[in-house]
Amino acid sequence: MGRANAAYYASRDPFSDFVTSPEISQIFGEILGAWVAVVRQSLPAGAFCLAEAGPGRGTLMSDVLRVLSRVPGGLSGVSVHLVETSLRLREVQKQALARFDVPVIWHDAVEELPEQPFVLLGNEFLDALPVRQFVRSGAGWRERFVQGADWVLCPAEDVPPELAGREAGEGEIVEISPLSLAAVGRLGRVLSRVPGVVLLCDYGTSRSLPGDSLQALRGGRPADPLEHPGEADLTAHVDFQAVAQAAVSAGAVACASVTQGRFLEVLGARVRLAQLCQAAPEEAAGLTAGLDRLMAPDRMGHLFRVLVLHSPGLPVPPGCSAGTDAGESEWG
Ligand code: SAH
């Protein structure tokens, strides 16, 4: 899935195939903008790196900067750092952010970020990175590959360390994403050295569960992951337990992941909706429908989760609670 997805992001407009939270409702980015303003208060004063991984069309960052520009001193010392591999999307992002009076710098990878107090946002970034699938077979594992237009099973020669301790019954599939865990490990090491806070929002599970979650979206519709390689968006559920573990092993602190619905609720998304509806009653129906799509349990509210990581010694950021997801129900 790795190469097919790289080709996909480099060449296509992903937003004709799927639509993300910041594209659905401006309230998503506004809430995160207010959150960034509060979190910044807990970081050392001075230069501030506002970073985003996989910024898509730049909509989230644009909404965040709009909120910060309305907070007194909100943009002082801010530089924006975008981790984006697609040159085409970099151009779209440049245009989206041109109206803000802040420097914008692009990077290929998170370890290129400056060593300054920072906040990094990543919405639907982890799910864009490739997964490997393994099938429990007796005491060992077989790896599930795509060959030509078919799935094949081969005895797993290298059993990646990420599989250690993973439970699965005979014939069950376990997915791991070594590339996303490596990216989070690198972020965790940065957090252990440089004061910062990272917010990752994605669809996935709070605990590591077996199952095949690989899916393809093409033209807004589910498609066969094996058809049209490079033309469909391939994604897999994010395993937030593994992601949090990767960050903690690297020296960061992980909060418990929370559902997107609860996170937005606690941070006042409905209050913001009421303000917007009052200011523009003719747009109230559309605004309400958009936020409902992000928050309703049977839509994106429970499927999507927010995981916050931070440097040791910093307070728990708003909307989060300390500790792990242990004991929390899967969709709690
Ligand atoms: N965050 C955006 C877009 C999500 S789509 C939104 O919410 O709308 C995934 C984004 O990650 C795209 O911008 C894609 O080009 C980028 N991307 C994919 N693989 C990447 C990688 N390995 N490193 C950095 N960015 C990547």
Side-chain angles (χ1 to χ4, degrees):
M1 137 179 190
R3 226 175 319 149
N5 234 25
Y8 170 79
Y9 280 111
S11 64
R12 297 192 40 115
D13 177 6
F15 301 94
S16 62
D17 293 313
F18 64 94
V19 57
T20 59
S21 296
E23 304 288 337
I24 292 169
S25 171
Q26 68 185 81
I27 297 175
F28 184 79
E30 291 174 343
I31 292 293
L32 288 189
W35 184 87
V36 168
V38 175
V39 168
R40 187 181 179 187
Q41 308 292 315
S42 68
L43 297 172
F48 175 61
C49 161
L50 175 56
E52 186 177 354
R57 285 177 171 163
T59 308
L60 170 59
M61 186 54 82
S62 161
D63 289 337
V64 166
L65 289 174
R66 193 177 65 248
V67 170
L68 292 181
S69 70
R70 291 179 187 163
V71 175
L75 288 182
S76 72
V78 171
S79 57
V80 170
H81 296 263
L82 304 177
V83 182
E84 174 60 69
T85 44
S86 157
L87 295 180
R88 202 181 46 75
L89 284 175
R90 284 185 182 197
E91 202 46 50
V92 177
Q93 293 152 13
K94 189 174 171 184
Q95 283 165 26
L97 303 182
R99 65 199 164 101
F100 298 103
D101 188 20
V102 287
V104 182
I105 300 119
W106 280 266
H107 304 275
D108 290 322
V110 292
E111 54 270 45
E112 293 173 14
L113 296 175
E115 301 243 331
Q116 283 172 356
F118 73 103
V119 169
L120 178 136
L121 306 173
N123 184 59
E124 292 212 43
F125 170 64
L126 294 176
D127 79 50
L129 301 178
V131 292
R132 291 173 73 180
Q133 292 189 334
F134 291 85
V135 178
R136 171 61 85 188
S137 168
W141 297 95
R142 289 196 288 172
E143 185 160 8
R144 198 164 175 248
F145 285 107
V146 175
Q147 209 166 66
D150 282 312
W151 290 107
V152 292
L153 274 179
C154 303
E157 282 167 12
D158 65 318
V159 174
E162 293 87 351
L163 272 182
R166 290 295 300 266
E167 307 273 336
E170 181 67 22
E172 254 183 331
I173 293 176
V174 164
E175 288 174 343
I176 55 171
S177 179
L179 283 186
S180 61
L181 297 182
V184 172
R186 289 194 295 272
L187 271 175
R189 277 192 291 284
V190 175
L191 287 170
S192 71
R193 279 200 320 271
V194 186
V197 181
V198 170
L199 182 149
L200 300 169
C201 183
D202 231 303
Y203 67 116
T205 53
S206 63
R207 283 176 291 125
S208 304
L209 297 171
D212 171 15
S213 75
L214 188 62
Q215 62 177 37
L217 280 180
R218 187 164 179 260
R221 294 213 176 76
D224 183 330
L226 301 189
E227 279 175 21
H228 314 291
E231 287 180 33
D233 178 53
L234 291 181
T235 65
H237 283 198
V238 171
D239 172 351
F240 281 105
Q241 182 178 347
V243 168
Q245 186 57 50
V248 169
S249 303
V253 178
C255 298
S257 70
V258 288
T259 62
Q260 172 167 288
R262 187 154 117 201
F263 188 79
L264 292 175
E265 181 86 58
V266 169
L267 292 171
R270 290 193 204 278
V271 177
R272 178 65 183 146
L273 174 67
Q275 282 173 350
L276 289 170
C277 292
Q278 200 175 18
E282 68 287 0
E283 289 174 23
L287 288 162
T288 305
L291 190 64
D292 184 60
R293 188 164 165 194
L294 300 193
M295 293 181 69
D298 57 345
R299 306 190 75 192
M300 295 167 81
H302 272 189
L303 188 54
F304 278 71
R305 303 188 73 88
V306 174
L307 174 68
V308 172
L309 312 168
H310 61 83
S311 299
L314 292 182
V316 175
C320 306
S321 51
T324 64
D325 294 305
E328 190 194 9
S329 77
E330 178 49 30
W331 305 114

